[in-house]
């Protein structure tokens, strides 16, 4: 059975130590047997270890968080005496109790192994390299968490605070340029062709209307043209009314009856025949 520790000699804690300082310990079971582990320290009141014990299956890995609590005011600095010890032992696969019960039993008959770690304290604050667990997850220490929070706060402050506006500064006016000059020329050419086509169609329509107007004028000038007959022919109420008024003006009025030239001629012929007949009758009676 083999339990690998990363780091395997020193646990490095980085300041400031006025707040909780966190470091990581990686445990890896490289053997084919199930292991039980337990972590002990010489200063249990100053450290919080999560988890401080557990089971580790074959070829499994786990990450341990070791948190150093801030030193109380007036308390002597005894960090030079701080040490850790990791114990591990093989566990049967059939064992079903919890890990606390396992470590409470008599361990003299078991082959318990251990590895010791020394605590190192650094006032520098660079981000420590934190080992990842068996799933590739990376855990942040206290320094990384503090830096992330400070960066987020700065970004939020920059976003919330608008930049000062300089009213005296004039922004340059930029004229948009076409992304593709060749494409712009093609579009202009197409627009010109479209305009020329519209102008050509309009000119043709004007010429056609002029020709129709001239043709209509020529037809109106002809006296026997169909157009003139339609304008002046029968069936036009205006023309009929004008003709009726003209006939009434040209006719004679006898006993309140309007007589035209034809009626006068017929009356004259009848009167002539009547006079001739009357004269012949009188002449016959006298003989």
């Amino acid at each position: 059975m083999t339990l690998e520790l990363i780091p395997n000699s020193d646990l490095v804690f980085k300041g400031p130590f006025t707040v909780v300082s966190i470091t990581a310990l990686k445990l890896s079971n490289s053997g084919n047997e199930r292991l039980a582990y337990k972590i002990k320290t010489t200063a249990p009141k100053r450290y919080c270890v999560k988890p401080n014990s557990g089971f580790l299956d074959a070829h499994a890995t786990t990450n341990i968080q070791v948190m150093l609590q801030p030193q109380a005011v007036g308390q002597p600095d005894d960090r030079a005496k701080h040490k850790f010890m990791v114990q591990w032992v093989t566990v049967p696969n059939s064992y079903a109790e919890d890990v606390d019960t396992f470590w409470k039993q008599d361990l003299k008959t078991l082959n318990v192994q251990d590895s010791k770690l020394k605590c190192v304290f650094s006032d520098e604050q660079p981000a420590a390299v934190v080992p990842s667990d068996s799933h590739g997850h990376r855990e942040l220490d206290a320094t990384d968490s503090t830096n992330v929070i400070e960066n987020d706060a700065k970004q939020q402050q920059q976003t919330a605070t608008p930049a000062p506006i300089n009213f005296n500064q004039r922004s340059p006016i930029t004229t948009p340029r076409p992304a593709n000059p060749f494409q712009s020329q093609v579009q202009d050419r197409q627009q010109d062709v479209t305009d020329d086509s519209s102008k050509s169609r309009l000119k043709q329509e004007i010429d056609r209307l002029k020709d129709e107007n001239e043709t209509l004028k020529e037809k109106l000038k002809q006296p026997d043209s169909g157009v003139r007959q339609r304008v002046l022919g029968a069936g036009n109420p205006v023309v009929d009314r004008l003709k009726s008024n003209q006939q009434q003006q040209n006719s004679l009025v006898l006993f309140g009856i309007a007589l035209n030239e034809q009626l006068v001629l017929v009356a004259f012929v009848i009167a002539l025949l009547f006079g001739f007949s009357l004269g012949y009758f009188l002449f016959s009676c006298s003989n």
Side-chain angles (χ1 to χ4, degrees):
M1 59 178 180
T2 303
L3 182 66
E4 296 181 358
L5 281 66
I6 302 176
N8 58 2
S9 60
D10 298 335
L11 283 178
V12 180
F13 295 90
K14 294 180 173 59
F17 299 106
T18 56
V19 295
V20 177
S21 178
I22 304 175
T23 189
L25 174 64
K26 180 179 179 181
L27 304 181
S28 179
N29 182 5
S30 59
N32 297 324
E33 298 176 332
R34 186 185 182 194
L35 299 179
Y37 66 89
K38 186 175 183 180
I39 302 174
K40 296 181 179 181
T41 179
T42 57
K45 294 183 179 180
R46 294 292 307 277
Y47 293 93
C48 179
V49 181
K50 293 184 179 180
N52 60 358
S53 61
F55 295 112
L56 197 59
D57 295 333
H59 306 289
T61 301
T62 185
N63 283 335
I64 309 297
Q65 280 191 341
V66 183
M67 292 171 281
L68 172 62
Q69 305 299 320
Q71 184 174 351
V73 178
Q75 183 179 0
D77 189 2
D78 57 348
R79 291 180 297 175
K81 301 179 182 180
H82 294 180
K83 295 180 182 180
F84 279 85
M85 182 176 64
V86 180
Q87 294 178 325
W88 70 90
V89 66
T90 303
V91 180
N93 293 329
S94 60
Y95 185 81
E97 300 293 335
D98 58 6
V99 66
D100 293 335
T101 303
F102 176 82
W103 285 106
K104 288 179 181 179
Q105 64 180 333
D106 187 9
L107 302 178
K108 294 180 181 180
T109 59
L110 301 178
N111 185 17
V112 179
Q113 300 185 27
D114 60 70
S115 179
K116 296 180 181 179
L117 299 171
K118 183 176 62 175
C119 296
V120 177
F121 304 94
S122 174
D123 292 334
E124 299 179 359
Q125 303 180 22
V129 177
V130 180
S132 59
D133 56 10
S134 58
H135 300 285
H137 298 159
R138 182 180 181 274
E139 298 185 2
L140 298 176
D141 57 9
T143 305
D144 294 335
S145 302
T146 304
N147 293 336
V148 171
I149 294 173
E150 291 179 355
N151 293 334
D152 292 341
K154 289 181 180 179
Q155 292 179 358
Q156 292 178 0
Q157 184 177 3
Q158 292 177 359
T159 304
T161 304
I165 301 175
N166 187 1
F167 293 96
N168 296 326
Q169 183 179 1
R170 296 182 179 179
S171 58
I173 300 175
T174 58
T175 303
R177 296 182 179 179
N180 191 346
F182 179 75
Q183 183 178 3
S184 177
Q185 293 178 1
V186 171
Q187 292 178 355
D188 295 341
R189 181 59 180 171
Q190 292 178 352
Q191 184 68 25
D192 295 339
V193 171
T194 304
D195 295 340
D196 294 340
S197 178
S198 300
K199 291 179 181 179
S200 177
R201 288 197 299 269
L202 182 60
K203 185 177 180 181
Q204 292 177 359
E205 186 69 19
I206 293 174
D207 294 339
R208 186 181 64 80
L209 293 176
K210 287 182 178 180
D211 294 339
E212 291 182 356
N213 190 16
E214 294 295 334
T215 304
L216 184 60
K217 287 182 180 180
E218 293 294 334
K219 289 183 179 181
L220 290 176
K221 289 180 181 180
Q222 297 177 4
D224 297 334
S225 63
V227 177
R228 190 175 184 86
Q229 289 179 0
R230 285 195 299 270
V231 174
L232 301 178
N236 193 335
V238 178
V239 176
D240 294 341
R241 191 179 299 109
L242 291 175
K243 287 184 178 181
S244 177
N245 294 335
Q246 186 176 4
Q247 290 177 359
Q248 290 179 3
Q249 291 177 1
N250 295 332
S251 63
L252 299 177
V253 179
L254 181 62
F255 301 107
I257 300 174
L259 301 176
N260 52 18
E261 295 177 355
Q262 289 82 0
L263 293 177
V264 172
L265 181 60
V266 171
F268 177 75
V269 172
I270 293 174
L272 183 61
L273 292 176
F274 180 76
F276 180 76
S277 299
L278 181 61
Y280 179 76
F281 177 74
L282 293 176
F283 179 75
S284 298
C285 291
S286 62
N287 291 330

